[in-house]
Amino acid sequence: MGLFTGKNGIILGVANERSIARGIAEVLHHEGARLGFNFLPDDRGRMEARVKKAVSHLNPALIHPCNVNRDEDVTAFFSAAQDALGSIDFLVHSIAFAPVEEIRKPTLAVSREGFLTAMEASVYSFIITSREATSRMGETGAILTLSYYGGEKVVEGYNLMGVAKSALDCSVKYLANELGPRNIRVNAISAGPVKTLAASGIGGFGKMLDYNASVAPLRRNVSTQEIGKAASFLLSEMSSGITGEILHVDCGYNVMGAFRY
Ligand SMILES: NC(=O)c1ccc[n+]([C@@H]2O[C@H](COP(=O)([O-])OP(=O)(O)OC[C@H]3O[C@@H](n4cnc5c(N)ncnc54)[C@H](O)[C@@H]3O)[C@@H](O)[C@H]2O)c1
């Protein structure tokens, strides 16, 4: 019997085989979870095809469109999730977006529109999907989102996304406090850099990967499988006393102060 046998969960944010959400989904599926997925709708149905290809081996109970920037999409998605899964035991939110040109600007030069877009897709999406998911949870539940160290400390090139991740980290803590009395836990994983579609928008990402691997105590970068294992811990009863936590899964990079010269 797996850690998630008999449990139903929603995974938001698989784009392809490289997505962190895919790595998480594989571990949860291996542990017995029944999963529902979204895809970001586009005119040609390309995202739908990519997501289907990435998760078909996980026997998905649902693959449904949802642009998290549209209230009506979010409502329809969770209604379809309820029809397909019944009650929801956990939610994984693995979504972020900001226009590339806005991330590549100095933070001082970010436009109002770019700022609002980043905050809407990367932070408000966490709040609205948590609201919809928790209204379908029973006596316990767990929520997990994906953050990055650039929301705590300055990481050159991360810029606007760092501001958004900081707001996301703070949202984790406020939601943890509000949902704690219902025995719903809310946590984040602060993942080390992984080469994904979203990461390609970050300036100098290749160099960041090399640098992290050279500085981190484990002297390498993290895999999506490892992020998945930590996710399964935070979503399961194994972490029943943990909420409001930002867990670093980054090969130890965040503990370093002075580096090797
Ligand atoms: N890759 C990294 O180095 C890294 C490190 C730490 C944290 N993260 C975070 O992990 C999460 C997942 O990113 P990833 O690296 O796996 O990249 P990814 O590109 O595979 O996933 C990002 C997902 O967000 C979805 N998305 C964006 N806007 C959306 C919208 N309006 N509606 C619905 N879906 C939308 C995309 O479709 C995609 O599935 C993000 O929050 C990211 O910031 C990534």
Side-chain angles (χ1 to χ4, degrees), residues 12-24 38-41 47 51 65-70 73-74 93-98 117 120-122 125 145-150 158 161 165 168 189-200 202 205 208-209 222 224 227 249:
L12 302 175
V14 174
N16 56 34
E17 288 81 356
R18 289 184 166 187
S19 295
I20 291 175
R22 212 284 283 255
I24 293 173
N38 83 310
F39 62 87
L40 176 60
M47 284 305 281
V51 174
C66 182
N67 179 341
V68 291
N69 293 341
R70 292 196 208 127
D73 270 31
V74 176
H93 170 275
S94 187
I95 286 176
F97 176 77
T117 300
E120 181 180 33
S122 315
S125 68
T145 188
L146 272 297
S147 192
Y148 177 62
Y149 188 62
Y158 202 59
M161 276 312 300
K165 288 303 188 194
L168 181 71
I189 285 177
S190 177
V194 180
K195 200 172 173 194
T196 61
L197 203 60
S200 63
I202 310 297
F205 189 77
M208 191 194 277
L209 274 174
V222 74
T224 57
I227 298 168
V249 184

Side-chain angles (χ1 to χ4, degrees), residues 159-206:
N159 307 350
L160 172 61
M161 276 312 300
V163 177
K165 288 303 188 194
S166 198
L168 181 71
D169 290 357
C170 199
S171 307
V172 166
K173 295 171 192 173
Y174 275 87
L175 293 194
N177 179 51
E178 291 171 12
L179 292 166
R182 288 183 51 197
N183 207 18
I184 296 172
R185 298 180 300 106
V186 186
N187 292 295
I189 285 177
S190 177
V194 180
K195 200 172 173 194
T196 61
L197 203 60
S200 63
I202 310 297
F205 189 77

